[in-house]
Amino acid sequence: MYPWAGSVGGIWHRESVVSTGDSVLNSLGLDIDPAIDVSVSAMLGNVEDALRKNVVSADPLVAEAARHLMDAGGKRFRPLIVALGAQFGDISSPDLVPAALVVELTHLATLYHDDVMDEAEVRRGAPSANARWGNSVAILVGDYLFARAADIAASLGPEAVHLQARTFARLVHGQIAETVGPRGTDPIAHHLHVIAEKTASLIATSARFGGLFSAASPEHVEALAGYGETIGIAFQLSDDLLDIASESVQSGKTPGTDLREGVPTLPVLYALASDDTDASAVRLRDLLATGPITDDALHAEALGLLRESVAMKRARETVRTYAEEARAQLAPLPDGPARRAMESLCDFIADRTS
């Protein structure tokens, strides 16, 4: 599987691919039952191998572009959630790796499209597909990956097809909502809605797939889906906080990138909504109100103020609230090593920006 190098940039950073069997969860410092860790690690190793086989194409350009982001690495968070969900059923089910492929290929496809819409130059520390091959090729390669995901879903049966299609619809609605903006609604509520649609929906489906294709009970499958939805929001929010809190360049993303690009993450929205009359809070609002902060001196000032702000503290508390809600969603599941592993993941996501 992978050696993992702690919490960097995302939830972790994949340095290389080696033989299966290496620790995944214990390497993060989590107290996980060794049998769970071995099971999850083995499945993720199989997923990694299968991903490479399932992005092949007779067209060399399509094959190269489709491998581009996968070769750049990634968190594989969604397959991880599939693997954890499968611990409540038959973890030897042959449908689990294909189910994980469906969610990861869908996720990768959205990244190609997102980079075109955001005019991104870099993704995971490497030139984005649109920067390298142009927007048209990047969009079409994203479409190709969606098609591969749909084909694999069809092999799993009608329910997988329906779930993947409904999840894709939520992803699209989330992207539309983000594109058009709040349109008179509360910006914070709008932001959380976008995250639920764009990120949490696919993580919820990942958890559901883990339970469904391991033949877990319907009650357990629903509990897993609720966990996935909520931990998905916490996961994305904590990623956004790391962009502010990090002191070093991690996973190809310079700290404060969102500020420089004018991306309104939760701490920024909290700061802008604040009526705090403290001089630093007022100065921070003035800086953030200008939109993208491209001047290096002003960017450094805004980043420093935001890191020490009440808004940042409030955002951390929001992440912890979602993480605790995710933990509560696990209540219908049997107590044991698998449930404790998922609870430990809640703690890890809540704590990694502290």
Side-chain angles (χ1 to χ4, degrees):
M1 239 303 287
Y2 320 131
W4 303 83
S7 60
V8 291
I11 189 169
W12 34 62
H13 172 62
R14 200 195 80 183
E15 291 184 319
S16 61
V17 179
V18 295
S19 62
T20 59
D22 288 344
S23 171
V24 171
L25 296 170
N26 279 329
S27 67
L28 297 175
L30 305 183
D31 184 16
I32 303 298
D33 181 88
I36 298 291
D37 208 18
V38 167
S39 171
V40 169
S41 299
M43 180 175 160
L44 291 181
N46 291 334
V47 169
E48 195 70 23
D49 292 341
L51 275 172
R52 298 183 182 282
K53 295 174 182 175
N54 277 276
V55 297
V56 296
S57 168
D59 187 309
L61 173 61
V62 174
E64 182 184 8
R67 288 196 315 268
H68 181 64
L69 285 185
M70 191 171 60
D71 289 344
K75 307 176 186 83
R76 305 291 189 255
F77 185 68
R78 291 148 192 85
L80 171 68
I81 295 297
V82 175
L84 285 172
Q87 303 301 315
F88 297 92
D90 178 9
I91 60 174
S92 67
S93 168
D95 290 338
L96 288 169
V97 169
L101 290 178
V102 171
V103 293
E104 186 65 11
L105 286 171
T106 299
H107 170 60
L108 287 170
T110 67
L111 299 184
Y112 283 82
H113 289 177
D114 282 355
D115 285 347
V116 171
M117 297 190 68
D118 297 341
E119 300 179 348
E121 295 293 323
V122 175
R123 167 72 70 173
R124 295 177 176 173
S128 62
N130 48 295
R132 182 167 175 179
W133 289 287
N135 286 344
S136 295
V137 169
I139 290 170
L140 292 169
V141 170
D143 291 344
Y144 173 69
L145 294 177
F146 275 127
R148 294 297 303 127
D151 188 39
I152 297 168
S155 74
L156 292 170
E159 188 167 9
V161 174
H162 288 313
L163 285 169
Q164 198 248 2
R166 291 166 187 161
T167 304
F168 185 32
R170 287 189 67 187
L171 292 170
V172 172
H173 276 99
Q175 185 61 67
I176 291 171
E178 183 178 57
T179 301
V180 302
R183 293 187 296 176
T185 62
D186 173 45
I188 294 171
H190 174 265
H191 179 67
L192 293 172
H193 169 72
V194 167
I195 288 176
E197 298 293 283
K198 277 193 64 176
T199 301
S201 62
L202 189 56
I203 295 174
T205 296
S206 301
R208 183 181 292 278
F209 273 9
L212 182 66
F213 292 107
S214 66
S217 72
E219 180 187 17
H220 292 167
V221 171
E222 290 305 314
L224 288 166
Y227 170 87
E229 179 91 14
T230 314
I231 202 68
I233 297 174
F235 170 74
Q236 183 60 58
L237 289 175
S238 64
D239 250 14
D240 293 342
L241 295 193
L242 280 176
D243 180 61
I244 297 166
S246 171
E247 292 288 350
S248 61
V249 177
Q250 298 176 331
S251 293
K253 187 175 182 182
T254 304
T257 296
D258 291 335
L259 278 179
R260 195 174 292 277
E261 296 178 353
V263 177
T265 55
L266 188 63
V268 169
L269 293 172
Y270 278 155
L272 287 171
S274 171
D275 57 4
D276 191 342
T277 58
D278 180 81
S280 61
V282 172
R283 174 58 177 165
L284 178 58
R285 284 199 300 273
D286 289 343
L287 289 168
L288 296 177
T290 64
I293 305 175
T294 56
D295 178 86
D296 288 344
L298 294 179
H299 178 270
E301 182 185 3
L303 188 59
L305 288 171
L306 192 55
R307 284 172 173 168
E308 300 302 322
S309 67
V310 173
M312 186 67 172
K313 179 181 178 182
R314 184 180 175 191
R316 285 191 173 107
E317 291 171 349
T318 300
V319 172
R320 187 165 297 279
T321 296
Y322 277 106
E324 289 304 314
E325 183 180 338
R327 185 197 305 276
Q329 296 280 357
L330 297 172
L333 297 169
D335 190 18
R339 177 170 154 183
R340 287 194 289 275
M342 300 185 88
E343 290 171 342
S344 293
L345 193 56
C346 294
D347 295 332
F348 181 80
I349 289 174
D351 293 341
R352 70 185 179 130
T353 61
S354 298

